Amino acid sequence: NSKVIQTPRYLVKGQGQKAKMRCIPEKGHPVVFWYQQNKNNEFKFLINFQNQEVLQQIDMTEKRFSAECPSNSPCSLEIQSSEAGDSALYLCASSRGQNTLYFGAGTRLSVL
Amino acid sequence: AQSVDQPDAHVTLYEGASLELRCSYSYSAAPYLFWYVQYPGQSLQFLLKYITGDAVVKGTKGFEAEFRKSNSSFNLKKSPAHWSDSAKYFCALVNQGGSAKLIFGEGTKLTVSS
């Protein structure tokens, strides 16, 4: 069973509403990734962190998406103004930095 | 550009048969390759990886994969298949350029009939 904890499992928002999801990485894993898996099972990399620092993020996240991984608190991914196209499974993964990613159960976002 | 291709969207076979899920990749350097499995309604579970060394790597749940540099493939195998292996399987490549993010293939949905 995954030791990456994601909450909530399900999130329902109206268009324009804020959506926030959280992730607690596996203990001892300094690297955290966020991916979006759409209904066609395509994975889109969003952002990753090493400790609290952003390693890389795609352009999309710089507009409506924001993410952080503060020390001693869960990591979070927030969508400021949800759109229908944001409906997807959001996956958090953590790694010791040795390339193997371990995924959480995901947060399924539905934007009505 | 780096990419992963899984040419078979669906594979169906009977329990007890041998399974082989195909994966090919495009990468300019030595690849780090992975297989993950996703059961319905669940997240991705790590099966195995190839970093270096022996071309055949063994993973969890009785799976193994063979790295073939000659044709840029990393096919997943198991014999015999069991009905509980029914799931979606994803092959992935690590982008080693700084961020170490995974690049996934489109996935292969495996159905094993009992």
Side-chain angles (χ1 to χ4, degrees), chain A residues 28-64:
Chain A
H29 286 192
V31 185
V32 175
F33 294 75
W34 285 99
Y35 283 87
Q36 178 196 64
Q37 185 182 18
N38 65 21
K39 61 182 180 180
N40 295 321
N41 288 312
E42 296 164 333
F43 293 88
K44 180 180 287 185
F45 167 81
L46 297 177
I47 192 168
N48 61 350
F49 294 84
Q50 180 153 353
N51 298 314
Q52 293 79 51
E53 301 298 320
V54 174
L55 291 176
Q56 187 177 6
Q57 61 182 345
I58 65 168
D59 287 344
M60 182 178 75
T61 67
E62 294 174 8
K63 297 173 183 175
R64 297 183 297 109

Side-chain angles (χ1 to χ4, degrees), chain A residues 35 48 56 99-101 104, chain B residues 32 36 38 43 49 99 102:
Chain A
Y35 283 87
N48 61 350
Q56 187 177 6
N99 300 310
T100 302
L101 271 61
Chain B
Y32 291 5
Y36 284 84
Q38 189 173 35
S43 187
K49 67 180 178 183
S99 66
L102 280 173

